[in-house]
Amino acid sequence: ANEADLDALDALFSEARSTIAALGIDQWQNGYPSPSVIGKDIDEGRAYVVEIDGNIAATFVLITDGEPTYDRIFDGTWRTGDTDDYVAIHRVAISVARRGSGLSTAVLSYAADVAKGLGRASLRIDTHRGNVVMRRMLQRHGFVHSGSIYLENGDHRVAYEKVLTA
């Protein structure tokens, strides 16, 4: 992603917030992720977009230098142990018009390729307990429920990990 994508990403996240709210889930409400969060992800080179026909159809963030909220896991364990040998995926959003088109597979496959290229053992991700759609998608793609983590603000999230093979 680059700075020119900021408005389109903000609109995509707004659409995602509406979809999540309609499911009765409080994840990503109150303007999160904000344009400043999105801009920081872009500036740090960790925000990615999937473009189809010149339009942003999906976005995601890859954290390759450790995720502090993953340092402590509760009610379970990381499959690869308490190491920084992973890539974290955050802020996955797919446009409503493109859902069901295989973009989640493409996003997770790309993330796995990045992780493997860095020699990492796994992918980690978290989501809201009530985000059943996301949880099912993760399980379909080989992620295993590993326990619970808590965000910096104290919000509970369910944590998943997928061990990568060479």
Side-chain angles (χ1 to χ4, degrees):
N2 61 56
E3 282 189 38
D5 298 327
L6 187 59
D7 288 341
L9 290 174
D10 191 39
L12 181 61
F13 283 117
S14 178
E15 179 184 73
R17 279 190 293 275
S18 295
T19 301
I20 292 170
L23 296 171
I25 302 167
D26 65 359
Q27 183 180 15
W28 284 10
Q29 300 308 300
N30 302 316
Y32 181 86
S34 66
S36 64
V37 169
I38 300 164
K40 183 178 180 193
D41 287 337
I42 291 169
D43 290 345
E44 293 182 0
R46 57 191 195 182
Y48 294 82
V49 296
V50 178
E51 272 191 31
I52 298 175
D53 299 328
N55 297 306
I56 294 177
T59 186
F60 58 101
V61 169
L62 297 181
I63 308 290
T64 60
D65 56 354
E67 169 54 66
T69 60
Y70 291 177
D71 288 349
R72 294 185 63 199
I73 190 163
F74 302 87
D75 304 321
T77 59
W78 292 115
R79 298 180 71 210
T80 55
D82 293 330
T83 69
D84 286 337
D85 196 17
Y86 64 90
V87 168
I89 308 168
H90 287 306
R91 294 184 276 289
V92 177
I94 297 173
S95 72
V96 171
R98 295 292 181 171
R99 292 196 184 137
S101 67
L103 283 181
S104 63
T105 299
V107 164
L108 295 175
S109 177
Y110 182 82
D113 288 346
V114 168
K116 288 176 187 177
L118 293 170
R120 305 294 169 79
S122 70
L123 291 173
R124 293 180 183 175
I125 192 168
D126 64 88
T127 193
H128 190 282
R129 169 182 331 157
N131 195 340
V132 177
V133 173
M134 180 71 162
R135 294 178 72 179
R136 284 187 192 138
M137 184 274 295
L138 291 171
Q139 291 168 346
R140 265 194 329 271
H141 287 89
F143 285 78
V144 174
H145 179 247
S146 299
S148 298
I149 60 105
Y150 290 88
L151 304 179
E152 289 176 6
N153 67 3
D155 286 350
H156 172 267
R157 294 292 182 259
V158 289
Y160 289 83
E161 185 172 33
K162 179 178 182 175
V163 176
L164 302 173
T165 55

